[in-house]
PDB file of all heavy atoms in Angstrom:
ATOM      1  N   MET R 351     -29.584 -16.223  13.930  1.00 94.00           N
ATOM      2  CA  MET R 351     -29.182 -17.390  14.665  1.00 94.00           C
ATOM      3  C   MET R 351     -29.672 -18.677  14.024  1.00 94.00           C
ATOM      4  O   MET R 351     -28.983 -19.712  13.980  1.00 94.00           O
ATOM      5  CB  MET R 351     -29.721 -17.321  16.109  1.00 94.00           C
ATOM      6  CG  MET R 351     -28.928 -16.434  17.066  1.00 94.00           C
ATOM      7  SD  MET R 351     -27.264 -16.915  17.296  1.00 94.00           S
ATOM      8  CE  MET R 351     -27.463 -18.184  18.522  1.00 94.00           C
ATOM      9  N   MET R 352     -30.935 -18.628  13.527  1.00 93.00           N
ATOM     10  CA  MET R 352     -31.494 -19.830  12.912  1.00 93.00           C
ATOM     11  C   MET R 352     -30.745 -20.204  11.630  1.00 93.00           C
ATOM     12  O   MET R 352     -30.710 -21.346  11.239  1.00 93.00           O
ATOM     13  CB  MET R 352     -32.985 -19.592  12.628  1.00 93.00           C
ATOM     14  CG  MET R 352     -33.781 -19.579  13.918  1.00 93.00           C
ATOM     15  SD  MET R 352     -35.528 -19.415  13.529  1.00 93.00           S
ATOM     16  CE  MET R 352     -35.938 -18.012  14.477  1.00 93.00           C
ATOM     17  N   LEU R 353     -30.102 -19.202  11.012  1.00 92.00           N
ATOM     18  CA  LEU R 353     -29.293 -19.479   9.833  1.00 92.00           C
ATOM     19  C   LEU R 353     -27.929 -20.057  10.234  1.00 92.00           C
ATOM     20  O   LEU R 353     -27.402 -20.909   9.534  1.00 92.00           O
ATOM     21  CB  LEU R 353     -29.136 -18.158   9.104  1.00 92.00           C
ATOM     22  CG  LEU R 353     -28.329 -18.076   7.814  1.00 92.00           C
ATOM     23  CD1 LEU R 353     -28.792 -19.084   6.804  1.00 92.00           C
ATOM     24  CD2 LEU R 353     -28.412 -16.680   7.228  1.00 92.00           C
ATOM     25  N   VAL R 354     -27.389 -19.598  11.349  1.00 93.00           N
ATOM     26  CA  VAL R 354     -26.047 -19.926  11.717  1.00 93.00           C
ATOM     27  C   VAL R 354     -25.933 -21.175  12.560  1.00 93.00           C
ATOM     28  O   VAL R 354     -25.018 -21.999  12.375  1.00 93.00           O
ATOM     29  CB  VAL R 354     -25.458 -18.724  12.527  1.00 93.00           C
ATOM     30  CG1 VAL R 354     -24.176 -19.098  13.245  1.00 93.00           C
ATOM     31  CG2 VAL R 354     -25.216 -17.556  11.610  1.00 93.00           C
ATOM     32  N   VAL R 355     -26.882 -21.402  13.484  1.00 93.00           N
ATOM     33  CA  VAL R 355     -26.740 -22.469  14.445  1.00 93.00           C
ATOM     34  C   VAL R 355     -26.627 -23.883  13.814  1.00 93.00           C
ATOM     35  O   VAL R 355     -25.752 -24.663  14.241  1.00 93.00           O
ATOM     36  CB  VAL R 355     -27.868 -22.402  15.532  1.00 93.00           C
ATOM     37  CG1 VAL R 355     -27.960 -23.685  16.310  1.00 93.00           C
ATOM     38  CG2 VAL R 355     -27.601 -21.218  16.461  1.00 93.00           C
ATOM     39  N   PRO R 356     -27.463 -24.213  12.814  1.00 90.00           N
ATOM     40  CA  PRO R 356     -27.291 -25.583  12.235  1.00 90.00           C
ATOM     41  C   PRO R 356     -25.872 -25.805  11.702  1.00 90.00           C
ATOM     42  O   PRO R 356     -25.296 -26.887  11.861  1.00 90.00           O
ATOM     43  CB  PRO R 356     -28.316 -25.580  11.076  1.00 90.00           C
ATOM     44  CG  PRO R 356     -29.297 -24.551  11.383  1.00 90.00           C
ATOM     45  CD  PRO R 356     -28.576 -23.502  12.172  1.00 90.00           C
ATOM     46  N   ILE R 357     -25.305 -24.758  11.104  1.00 90.00           N
ATOM     47  CA  ILE R 357     -23.939 -24.889  10.556  1.00 90.00           C
ATOM     48  C   ILE R 357     -22.923 -25.023  11.697  1.00 90.00           C
ATOM     49  O   ILE R 357     -22.029 -25.859  11.644  1.00 90.00           O
ATOM     50  CB  ILE R 357     -23.571 -23.706   9.656  1.00 90.00           C
ATOM     51  CG1 ILE R 357     -24.534 -23.639   8.463  1.00 90.00           C
ATOM     52  CG2 ILE R 357     -22.134 -23.739   9.228  1.00 90.00           C
ATOM     53  CD1 ILE R 357     -24.146 -24.554   7.338  1.00 90.00           C
ATOM     54  N   ILE R 358     -23.070 -24.197  12.751  1.00 91.00           N
ATOM     55  CA  ILE R 358     -22.129 -24.272  13.874  1.00 91.00           C
ATOM     56  C   ILE R 358     -22.182 -25.642  14.524  1.00 91.00           C
ATOM     57  O   ILE R 358     -21.158 -26.234  14.884  1.00 91.00           O
ATOM     58  CB  ILE R 358     -22.405 -23.164  14.905  1.00 91.00           C
ATOM     59  CG1 ILE R 358     -22.084 -21.795  14.280  1.00 91.00           C
ATOM     60  CG2 ILE R 358     -21.589 -23.354  16.164  1.00 91.00           C
ATOM     61  CD1 ILE R 358     -22.105 -20.642  15.268  1.00 91.00           C
ATOM     62  N   ILE R 359     -23.410 -26.203  14.645  1.00 92.00           N
ATOM     63  CA  ILE R 359     -23.523 -27.500  15.274  1.00 92.00           C
ATOM     64  C   ILE R 359     -22.824 -28.558  14.409  1.00 92.00           C
ATOM     65  O   ILE R 359     -21.998 -29.333  14.904  1.00 92.00           O
ATOM     66  CB  ILE R 359     -25.013 -27.870  15.504  1.00 92.00           C
ATOM     67  CG1 ILE R 359     -25.587 -26.968  16.589  1.00 92.00           C
ATOM     68  CG2 ILE R 359     -25.150 -29.329  15.905  1.00 92.00           C
ATOM     69  CD1 ILE R 359     -27.083 -27.150  16.774  1.00 92.00           C
ATOM     70  N   SER R 360     -23.093 -28.558  13.108  1.00 91.00           N
ATOM     71  CA  SER R 360     -22.433 -29.577  12.281  1.00 91.00           C
ATOM     72  C   SER R 360     -20.931 -29.347  12.272  1.00 91.00           C
ATOM     73  O   SER R 360     -20.167 -30.294  12.251  1.00 91.00           O
ATOM     74  CB  SER R 360     -22.988 -29.650  10.843  1.00 91.00           C
ATOM     75  OG  SER R 360     -23.860 -28.602  10.570  1.00 91.00           O
ATOM     76  N   TYR R 361     -20.524 -28.089  12.255  1.00 91.00           N
ATOM     77  CA  TYR R 361     -19.106 -27.810  12.245  1.00 91.00           C
ATOM     78  C   TYR R 361     -18.422 -28.317  13.523  1.00 91.00           C
ATOM     79  O   TYR R 361     -17.338 -28.906  13.473  1.00 91.00           O
ATOM     80  CB  TYR R 361     -18.854 -26.314  12.091  1.00 91.00           C
ATOM     81  CG  TYR R 361     -17.422 -25.899  12.194  1.00 91.00           C
ATOM     82  CD1 TYR R 361     -16.484 -26.298  11.254  1.00 91.00           C
ATOM     83  CD2 TYR R 361     -16.947 -25.091  13.228  1.00 91.00           C
ATOM     84  CE1 TYR R 361     -15.147 -25.950  11.325  1.00 91.00           C
ATOM     85  CE2 TYR R 361     -15.646 -24.684  13.338  1.00 91.00           C
ATOM     86  CZ  TYR R 361     -14.749 -25.112  12.381  1.00 91.00           C
ATOM     87  OH  TYR R 361     -13.429 -24.723  12.456  1.00 91.00           O
ATOM     88  N   SER R 362     -19.084 -28.153  14.678  1.00 89.00           N
ATOM     89  CA  SER R 362     -18.406 -28.559  15.896  1.00 89.00           C
ATOM     90  C   SER R 362     -18.283 -30.074  15.985  1.00 89.00           C
ATOM     91  O   SER R 362     -17.344 -30.591  16.598  1.00 89.00           O
ATOM     92  CB  SER R 362     -19.131 -27.995  17.135  1.00 89.00           C
ATOM     93  OG  SER R 362     -20.482 -28.293  17.071  1.00 89.00           O
ATOM     94  N   PHE R 363     -19.199 -30.805  15.345  1.00 89.00           N
ATOM     95  CA  PHE R 363     -19.069 -32.258  15.340  1.00 89.00           C
ATOM     96  C   PHE R 363     -18.060 -32.747  14.304  1.00 89.00           C
ATOM     97  O   PHE R 363     -17.313 -33.698  14.552  1.00 89.00           O
ATOM     98  CB  PHE R 363     -20.400 -32.906  15.074  1.00 89.00           C
ATOM     99  CG  PHE R 363     -21.297 -33.013  16.296  1.00 89.00           C
ATOM    100  CD1 PHE R 363     -22.439 -32.225  16.396  1.00 89.00           C
ATOM    101  CD2 PHE R 363     -20.928 -33.845  17.343  1.00 89.00           C
ATOM    102  CE1 PHE R 363     -23.229 -32.308  17.514  1.00 89.00           C
ATOM    103  CE2 PHE R 363     -21.726 -33.913  18.470  1.00 89.00           C
ATOM    104  CZ  PHE R 363     -22.895 -33.142  18.560  1.00 89.00           C
TER     105      PHE R 363
END
Side-chain angles (χ1 to χ4, degrees):
Chain R
M351 281 298 279
M352 289 184 233
L353 179 55
V354 166
V355 165
I357 296 279
I358 292 190
I359 291 174
S360 7
Y361 175 65
S362 52
F363 279 110

